[in-house]
Amino acid sequence: MLIDIHTHKPSQYKSIKSLHFPNEYENLSDASTAISIGIHPWWAEVEHSEKFEKLFEQGVPPSVVAIGECGIDRVRGAAIEVQKTIFHRQVQLASTFNLPVIVHQVKGISDVLHEIKQFPYTVFVFHGYLGNPEQTLQLLKHNVFFSFGEGLIDYPGKYQKIIDLIPVEKILFETDNGQSNLKSIFQAYTQLKSREANEVELIVEKSACRIFNLESYGMG
Ligand SMILES: [Zn+2]
């Protein structure tokens, strides 16, 4: 079974819906699907962080299986020091509640690595991943997973090297805000990796269920 681990849209697949805090917070109450919630670096504000932490005062809110997307964007968004603080606080929260973190990063891999090293037991999922081979090798030493989206279809050439480097056991798939179907993204991957589709599907499903603890959503 294919699982869409990061989408902002209704999905025909089993999926994890990503909500931005605080704007989409009200959607949390009528959640019938698994959810990730976080403060995006584009809209990072300290007061949002305080409110966000209050959400977890009674424990993990229902349906929440991950924190994010959150992270570091050095091209766009709040001042970098604010982004770092807000990201750190969310990682801390994830660590406290043993939740994985869905990471958005643009030119911020070293900032994210700084957090990864501080929280070796927390799982970090890089969404829409596209890094160079050196960065990828560095990340592979840690508790990190790599989620691929429609970039695989649009620019397969950019991905070949990192697809070769990353074991199937460390990858996931997502549609994010894009137009592409999850199945097409998956097929683009199996072609680049030259691996048998059924085998890949099974491995990736297992990883997703384990990382996000999805059994209770009928996905395990
Ligand atoms: Zn997203």
Side-chain angles (χ1 to χ4, degrees):
M1 179 175 53
L2 291 177
I3 300 175
D4 187 347
I5 69 100
H6 180 80
T7 184
H8 299 274
K9 296 173 160 184
S11 174
Q12 62 180 112
Y13 294 93
K14 295 287 183 188
S15 58
I16 299 174
K17 183 97 192 278
S18 180
L19 301 181
H20 296 305
F21 186 84
N23 293 357
E24 297 174 332
Y25 160 57
E26 62 277 12
N27 300 349
L28 199 58
S29 51
D30 53 44
S32 54
T33 179
I35 276 172
S36 71
I37 187 161
I39 303 169
H40 197 285
W42 293 349
W43 305 296
E45 285 180 33
V46 174
E47 61 181 276
H48 291 169
S49 206
E50 283 154 12
K51 283 186 201 148
F52 186 65
E53 283 155 18
K54 284 213 174 80
L55 268 188
F56 290 79
E57 261 174 357
Q58 312 294 326
V60 179
S63 307
V64 171
V65 300
I67 303 269
E69 57 189 291
C70 57
I72 301 289
D73 192 324
R74 283 185 170 269
V75 173
R76 188 178 157 187
I80 194 67
E81 288 311 317
V82 175
Q83 288 194 27
K84 282 186 189 173
T85 305
I86 306 302
F87 180 46
H88 177 73
R89 285 173 69 159
Q90 291 180 90
V91 174
Q92 224 162 13
L93 203 62
S95 155
T96 304
F97 292 101
N98 201 18
L99 291 170
V101 179
I102 296 181
V103 177
H104 167 104
Q105 75 77 29
V106 178
K107 297 193 190 298
I109 285 189
S110 57
D111 305 300
V112 179
L113 258 171
H114 180 75
E115 294 294 331
I116 290 173
K117 287 174 183 166
Q118 285 181 66
F119 296 93
Y121 301 107
T122 300
V123 174
F124 290 79
V125 176
F126 279 72
H127 108 80
Y129 184 72
L130 179 58
N132 65 41
E134 294 72 34
Q135 290 164 335
T136 305
L137 284 172
Q138 210 177 358
L139 290 173
L140 275 169
K141 293 178 191 153
H142 301 279
N143 208 353
V144 164
F145 287 78
F146 304 84
S147 176
F148 294 113
E150 68 182 0
L152 286 182
I153 299 171
D154 296 341
Y155 325 100
K158 282 190 177 178
Y159 287 86
Q160 187 66 62
K161 273 190 185 151
I162 56 173
I163 296 287
D164 291 343
L165 284 175
I166 303 172
V168 179
E169 287 72 14
K170 292 287 233 173
I171 64 136
L172 298 161
F173 298 110
E174 65 178 54
T175 58
D176 200 10
N177 248 331
Q179 303 301 318
S180 302
N181 178 290
L182 191 66
K183 183 100 187 172
S184 318
I185 293 167
F186 171 75
Q187 283 166 344
Y189 173 81
T190 52
Q191 242 167 4
L192 286 170
K193 190 74 175 171
S194 306
R195 283 283 291 264
E196 207 261 315
N198 288 341
E199 190 189 9
V200 172
E201 187 172 334
L202 211 64
I203 295 171
V204 176
E205 178 188 353
K206 260 192 194 164
S207 305
C209 288
R210 192 180 69 248
I211 297 165
F212 299 104
N213 200 11
L214 293 178
E215 286 75 13
S216 47
Y217 294 89
M219 299 190 210

